């Protein structure tokens, strides 16, 4: 990778990776939120013209499963890639400033990202068999868990970036 | 030019995986085992390898920080240990008889990572505290 730094500044390189990581996370968050809403408050019948919230949860949820898996893996890889830079240039100043809650939240973020990764095969299987009523409860709670984890991971990433991220 | 519609190989593989009982067994066991093993790896200090980001040095298993070489990272190692361990358990589970694997509760895939992991951490903390106090 060192040859890249002949053409691009060190900060720019890591900033590009961070932005890609963030954009992938936004796409993942959107997909999982749609899916979680569709299982938590499913649309039962069309009564009159559908409003924004109804349309938001009336998505064809099974079609999101493969995309969610690909996005989680891609976001995870980019996150793991920039993590080594975070460990030196972000976490050490966070520790020096005594932002222990921020640092602890980031540790939860890394735990949830790995645990979520492990859930992807069963999540995919449950959605590929979305017609099977026996899987309804597991499908619902695995999806809600992943969506909740994704929201937590995303918001902690945002807070850490605010503490010491882009351009610092 | 042929106009015959072909099913893409990837789609065929996905369809057969989605209808495979063995894949379901693997995925269920892999799902809850990753969550359980990851917490165990973190609490017990079982990384498959340790990474020193400042010097790009990799060491097998747990390695303490080296003087003058900055911090050590264990997360990559915990992830590797838990993924490999869970994959091994998942593959082994596929060799079990079907009447046995059918009894594995599907709810474990959200109970273990959801309420299970924090409860286990609190319990382990309490036990370790009690042991430390004699």
């Amino acid at each position: 990778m060192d040859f890249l730094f002949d053409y691009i500044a060190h900060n720019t390189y890591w900033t590009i990776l961070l932005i890609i990581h963030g954009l992938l996370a936004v796409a993942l968050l959107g997909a999982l939120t749609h899916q979680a809403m569709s299982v938590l408050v499913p649309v039962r019948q069309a009564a009159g013209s559908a409003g924004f919230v109804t349309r938001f949860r009336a998505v064809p949820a099974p079609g999101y499963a493969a995309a969610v898996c690909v996005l989680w893996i891609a976001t995870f890889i980019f996150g793991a890639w920039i993590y080594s830079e975070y460990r030196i240039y972000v976490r050490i100043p966070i520790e020096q400033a005594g932002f222990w809650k921020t640092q602890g939240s980031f540790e939860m973020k890394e735990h949830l990202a790995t645990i979520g990764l492990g859930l992807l095969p069963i999540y995919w299987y449950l959605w590929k068999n979305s017609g099977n009523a026996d899987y309804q409860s597991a499908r619902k709670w695995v999806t809600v868990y992943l969506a909740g984890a994704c929201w937590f991971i995303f918001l902690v990433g945002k807070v850490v970036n605010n503490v010491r991220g882009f351009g610092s | 030019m042929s106009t015959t519609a072909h099913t893409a190989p990837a789609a065929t593989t996905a369809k057969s995986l989605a209808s495979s009982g063995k894949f379901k067994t693997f995925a269920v066991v892999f799902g809850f085992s990753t969550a359980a093993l990851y917490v165990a790896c973190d609490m017990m200090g079982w990384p498959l390898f340790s990474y020193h980001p400042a010097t790009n040095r990799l060491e097998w298993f747990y390695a303490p920080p080296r003087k003058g070489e900055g911090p050590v990272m264990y997360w990559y190692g915990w992830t590797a240990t838990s993924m490999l361990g869970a994959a091994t358990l998942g593959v082994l589970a596929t060799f079990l008889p079907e009447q046995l694997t059918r009894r594995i509760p599907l709810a474990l895939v959200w109970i273990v990572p959801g309420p299970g992991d924090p409860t286990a951490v609190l319990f382990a903390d309490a036990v370790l505290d009690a042991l430390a106090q004699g």
Side-chain angles (χ1 to χ4, degrees), chain A residues 5 23-24 27 33 42 45 48 50 54 62 80 88 90 95 98 110 115 138 145 147:
Chain A
F5 298 126
L23 290 175
L24 287 167
T33 307
Q45 58 182 22
T54 305
I88 296 173
V90 181
E95 286 173 350
E110 67 181 24
I115 291 169
Y145 178 84

Side-chain angles (χ1 to χ4, degrees), chain A residues 21 79 82-84 86-87 90-91 94 99-113 152-153 156-161, chain B residues 38 73 75:
Chain A
H21 175 62
I82 57 179
Y83 189 17
S84 60
Y86 163 87
R87 182 64 185 84
V90 181
R91 180 166 156 173
I94 283 176
F99 294 150
W100 302 114
K101 285 179 190 164
T102 309
Q103 192 206 306
S105 303
F106 189 88
E107 299 216 340
M108 272 302 290
K109 169 184 160 94
E110 67 181 24
H111 301 337
L112 290 175
F152 180 85
I153 291 168
V156 169
K158 175 82 180 79
V159 169
V160 168
N161 189 63
Chain B
Y38 180 82
M73 297 176 76
W75 175 74

Side-chain angles (χ1 to χ4, degrees), chain B residues 13-90:
Chain B
T13 310
K15 204 173 173 185
S16 69
L17 272 182
S19 57
S20 160
K22 283 198 183 297
F23 179 73
K24 180 195 162 195
T25 303
F26 170 82
V28 170
V29 174
F30 182 75
F32 70 76
S33 300
T34 304
L37 287 174
Y38 180 82
V39 170
C41 289
D42 185 349
M43 294 199 75
M44 306 303 291
W46 293 335
L48 185 63
F49 56 85
S50 304
Y51 176 58
H52 304 254
T55 53
N56 261 335
R57 183 195 297 274
L58 276 175
E59 289 184 275
W60 284 110
F61 308 114
Y62 176 85
R66 287 166 173 258
K67 204 174 177 190
E69 291 195 14
V72 195
M73 297 176 76
Y74 303 113
W75 175 74
Y76 299 108
W78 295 332
T79 300
T81 312
S82 53
M83 290 286 158
L84 283 176
T88 306
L89 291 174

